[in-house]
Amino acid sequence: MILSATCTTNQVGPNAPIIYRGDLETVLTSAKDAGYGGVEMHIRDSETIDKGLLKDSLERFGLELTSIGTGEAYNKDHLFLSSEDKAVRKAAVERICGHIRHAKDYRHAVVILGLVRGKTSNCSSRKAYDDCLLESLKACAEEAEKYGVYMGMEMINRYECDDLNRIEEGEALIEKVGSRFLGIHIDTYHMNIEEGDIRAAIVRAKDEIVHVHVADNDRWYPGHGHIDFESFGKILKEISYPWAVAVECRPYPDGLTAGKLAADNLKKWFVD
Ligand code: LER
Ligand code: MN
């Protein structure tokens, strides 16, 4: 298991759950100094960034790219996979395919499918949402299979997204898409709201989980609130979860403090 920190070089809101913000050198230095082994980069469009620079910089710092956050496609560009507008749907699929072609240069950089899938409330009916989302996911899965890149369908709480809140919903959709490169991405903050029995849900989906986010119940760094991370760490050990655990919390009281306390706490709880 590798500990990862959320980072961005883009402008994002003060409450966005991304710890390190700033230029590439600054965010990678912060992640390395706090003791992380990898980073999750939140990238608006992989096709328009200097991918070589990112790769070289990560190698220089000895950090892995564990995951690509894709939410800006929805938040800033209003692109989403379930759109009934064919042009929007196509652009959303192309955005995700661009991230997939970027992720292929790394060992296991998961392309996150969170808000970029859209919401049922963005569509004229539940059926339209389901049909459009399935069509788009199948197109993305084709690209993912070509390059052996995993996409992680993130289960997000009901207040932020009106579908795919619970792990079992994710499992059902993944079965419909039918690609082993579409996996489940869990997040302690969302599970704390949505799952009745977190352990049972994780154990049931264990073979499909490709990425993990951690934040406390108040979305501060793990250890600030009342989620039992020691037990959560034991569940990940029980299923022999091999991939990254990325800290995705609000940068409170500031990014450097949040990132360092999160890393110290998680090492204490998760690493033998
Ligand atoms: C994204 O990983 C996430 O967890 C959402 O809550 C983004 O707002
Ligand atoms: Mn998350």
Side-chain angles (χ1 to χ4, degrees):
M1 192 186 73
I2 173 167
L3 266 192
S4 177
T6 45
C7 299
T8 186
T9 58
N10 300 338
Q11 286 296 326
V12 292
N15 296 328
I18 300 179
I19 312 175
Y20 299 127
R21 300 124 181 261
D23 60 46
L24 194 54
E25 285 295 305
T26 303
V27 298
L28 297 185
T29 301
S30 303
K32 189 72 186 176
D33 287 353
Y36 290 94
V39 290
E40 172 175 307
M41 293 302 300
H42 284 247
I43 300 173
R44 187 165 176 174
D45 184 351
S46 276
E47 301 279 88
T48 60
I49 64 158
D50 187 340
K51 291 186 279 228
L53 175 69
L54 177 60
K55 187 141 180 49
D56 290 348
S57 306
L58 287 167
E59 274 170 20
R60 185 159 43 82
F61 278 89
L63 289 165
E64 278 199 35
L65 180 68
T66 62
S67 32
I68 298 178
T70 63
E72 282 169 279
Y74 181 79
N75 289 328
K76 292 182 176 164
D77 300 321
H78 313 294
L79 299 179
F80 55 106
L81 298 169
S82 56
S83 176
E84 287 168 81
D85 181 329
K86 207 172 167 186
V88 173
R89 201 161 69 238
K90 189 163 173 271
V93 168
E94 195 35 54
R95 183 66 63 90
I96 294 302
C97 289
H99 290 310
I100 289 169
R101 291 188 293 272
H102 180 195
K104 77 176 186 343
D105 299 337
Y106 297 89
R107 189 175 69 98
H108 181 85
V110 171
V111 175
I112 296 175
L113 302 181
L115 292 177
V116 72
R117 57 184 184 251
K119 304 176 187 179
T120 68
S121 55
N122 296 136
C123 298
S124 62
S125 68
R126 173 76 211 203
K127 183 170 168 16
Y129 164 87
D130 284 340
D131 291 349
C132 292
L133 181 59
L134 189 60
E135 179 194 301
S136 294
L137 289 175
K138 284 187 172 166
C140 294
E142 234 176 77
E143 194 78 342
E145 279 169 21
K146 222 187 277 175
Y147 297 109
V149 166
Y150 284 89
M151 299 180 291
M153 177 76 76
E154 183 169 21
M155 302 301 113
I156 296 180
N157 79 73
R158 70 192 73 177
Y159 306 109
E160 288 181 63
C161 197
D162 60 7
D163 186 36
L164 296 159
N165 312 120
R166 282 174 299 111
I167 293 173
E168 67 178 5
E169 296 172 73
E171 288 178 279
L173 181 57
I174 280 170
E175 203 176 311
K176 276 194 205 145
V177 177
S179 167
R180 78 181 180 95
F181 290 100
L182 179 61
I184 290 188
H185 163 20
I186 59 173
D187 181 322
T188 56
Y189 171 73
H190 300 307
M191 285 191 291
N192 177 60
I193 296 169
E194 294 296 338
E195 301 292 344
D197 184 337
I198 290 177
R199 185 187 163 276
I202 291 176
V203 169
R204 204 182 47 238
K206 66 179 174 6
D207 296 330
E208 268 123 28
I209 298 175
V210 293
H211 193 52
V212 174
H213 275 164
V214 284
D216 221 316
N217 63 290
D218 51 4
R219 224 170 199 181
W220 282 55
Y221 58 85
H224 183 267
H226 56 69
I227 289 182
D228 179 356
F229 281 101
E230 202 166 346
S231 297
F232 181 65
K234 285 196 184 121
I235 299 170
L236 294 185
K237 271 191 203 139
E238 181 185 338
I239 65 164
S240 300
Y241 172 70
W243 307 118
V245 170
V247 179
E248 186 197 46
C249 66
R250 289 178 163 181
Y252 295 167
D254 59 78
L256 288 180
T257 307
K260 181 73 177 120
L261 288 173
D264 289 350
N265 287 339
L266 291 167
K267 278 183 191 161
K268 190 172 65 196
W269 293 320
F270 286 20
V271 181
D272 284 321

